[in-house]
Amino acid sequence: MSYPDATLKLFAGSSNPRLAESVARHIGICLGNAEMRRFSDGEIHIRLNESVRGSDVYVVQSTSQPVNEHLMELLVMVDALKRASAKTINVVIPYYGYGRQDRKARSRDPITAKLVANLIETAGAHRVIAMDLHAMQIQGFFDIPVDHLLGVPILGDYFQSKGLLAPVVVSPDHGGVVRARRLADELQAPLAIIDKRRPEPNVVEVMNIIGDVAGRTAILIDDMIDTAGTICLAAEALREAGALDLYACCTHPVLSGTALAKLEASPIKEVVVTDTIPLRSPSASTKVRVLSVAPLIAEAVVRIHEQQSISKLFEPHD
């Protein structure tokens, strides 16, 4: 079944073409015809091979590794669409890179989450659709509408289908408590929090576990897993505190460096992620389970195009 309005067009960057194709298939349209070329020195050139004049255009592009390449590609794509007289340019960013630098934690720190927001706006975007931003305040860094999609319902449905014994949802730090509470509400499970200290980037020390995990199935949830140091250290602490089976989940599988090897060696039984970022080595771990966000993004795109509510997608289940 095809979508009836021809003014809705969907284009894909090179960061996650499989996800973009799946989104287009769920909407009932074909991906827009565009090609990316590079000059000999690496400069990016985008060529649109179809008219977008007067169209509502959606561009799917995660700013994942290589972050700077994909970010620049997105900016060039938006500029090309603006100069081709697209009516609206809606940037779909399943994973928003540079989102971890959202405040000045120390003197003279940059706030790159705001810098990236400025770049996207200056390029000519009219709207941003993002999934599980690292910090909610990033929405306020934009002066254009931001629709914030949540991965918790997708993860919650999966864990509900498993029928886990006495689950407890665990936030690996204080910053993730709101996200963990949402999953706990979905599963009607209690909440625990790990009190950790981060002496420097990508270095974590567990301090304390707040809440009862003994004899329970622990589900660790975070917005992303990068080096997997936090998740693996938290899993060890939960095992020592008496947790039985251990699960971990996140929306964004950054999984840089030796992250997959760490997860394989950890006591975690299964790591549930989504496809906001494509796995670089899908067969490198037997523990990783990938869920698709394509149906959610497709529904959000259609609702925005038809001027319907996005919040209804995340209303509590009856």
Side-chain angles (χ1 to χ4, degrees), residues 4 34 37 73 124 138 142 159 174 185 199 214 220 264 289 298:
R37 297 179 178 179
E73 184 182 320
I138 293 174
F142 290 89
F159 283 112
H174 294 280
D185 290 343
L220 282 155
E264 279 293 306
R289 172 68 182 266

Side-chain angles (χ1 to χ4, degrees), residues 84-106:
S85 300
K87 181 181 177 183
T88 62
I89 304 168
N90 307 276
V91 178
V92 182
I93 311 177
Y95 169 67
Y96 185 85
Y98 284 110
R100 283 171 283 188
Q101 300 179 64
D102 62 317
R103 68 195 188 285
K104 287 186 67 171
R106 298 178 182 85

Side-chain angles (χ1 to χ4, degrees), residues 6-161:
T7 64
L8 190 159
K9 293 182 181 289
L10 186 77
F11 286 83
S14 66
S15 68
N16 203 336
R18 189 170 296 179
L19 174 61
E21 289 168 4
S22 185
V23 171
R25 189 165 55 250
H26 279 88
I27 295 173
I29 59 177
C30 295
L31 278 178
N33 188 350
E35 58 183 299
M36 185 187 75
R37 297 179 178 179
R38 291 183 183 275
F39 293 101
S40 58
D41 64 350
E43 284 185 15
I44 296 167
H45 174 64
I46 300 288
R47 175 171 291 172
L48 303 175
N49 293 324
E50 64 179 83
S51 174
V52 295
R53 186 177 297 274
S55 296
D56 293 313
V57 181
Y58 295 78
V59 181
V60 180
Q61 175 82 327
S62 284
T63 50
S64 51
Q65 188 179 14
V67 182
N68 299 333
E69 292 286 317
H70 288 151
L71 175 59
M72 193 63 201
E73 184 182 320
L74 173 62
L75 299 176
V76 175
M77 175 78 82
V78 170
D79 187 71
L81 291 166
K82 177 178 68 177
R83 297 178 190 281
S85 300
K87 181 181 177 183
T88 62
I89 304 168
N90 307 276
V91 178
V92 182
I93 311 177
Y95 169 67
Y96 185 85
Y98 284 110
R100 283 171 283 188
Q101 300 179 64
D102 62 317
R103 68 195 188 285
K104 287 186 67 171
R106 298 178 182 85
S107 298
R108 299 175 293 281
D109 275 358
I111 305 179
T112 50
K114 170 61 175 169
L115 172 63
V116 170
N118 288 343
L119 290 170
I120 292 171
E121 281 190 53
T122 301
H126 297 100
R127 176 186 296 271
V128 168
I129 301 114
M131 278 208 68
D132 274 344
L133 292 167
H134 186 66
M136 296 291 281
Q137 67 262 26
I138 293 174
Q139 297 174 78
F141 293 173
F142 290 89
D143 291 323
I144 56 177
V146 176
D147 290 297
H148 190 212
L149 308 182
L150 306 176
V152 166
I154 297 171
L155 300 171
D157 287 346
Y158 176 77
F159 283 112
Q160 278 184 332
S161 71

Side-chain angles (χ1 to χ4, degrees), residues 169-250:
V169 177
V170 183
S171 173
D173 53 37
H174 294 280
V177 170
V178 173
R179 184 180 303 104
R181 185 177 290 117
R182 285 197 187 104
L183 181 60
D185 290 343
E186 289 263 344
L187 301 179
Q188 297 183 341
L191 177 68
I193 304 166
I194 292 181
D195 178 27
K196 76 174 184 183
R197 183 169 65 91
R198 190 184 292 276
E200 56 185 87
N202 291 333
V203 177
V204 176
E205 297 175 0
V206 168
M207 305 294 287
N208 254 318
I209 297 176
I210 303 168
D212 182 18
V213 299
R216 290 182 168 273
T217 300
I219 305 172
L220 282 155
I221 180 171
D222 212 341
D223 64 318
M224 71 176 73
I225 299 176
D226 186 355
T227 64
T230 296
I231 289 291
C232 291
L233 193 62
E236 294 287 353
L238 290 169
R239 175 56 57 86
E240 291 176 8
L244 299 179
D245 288 337
L246 297 169
Y247 291 83
C249 63
C250 73

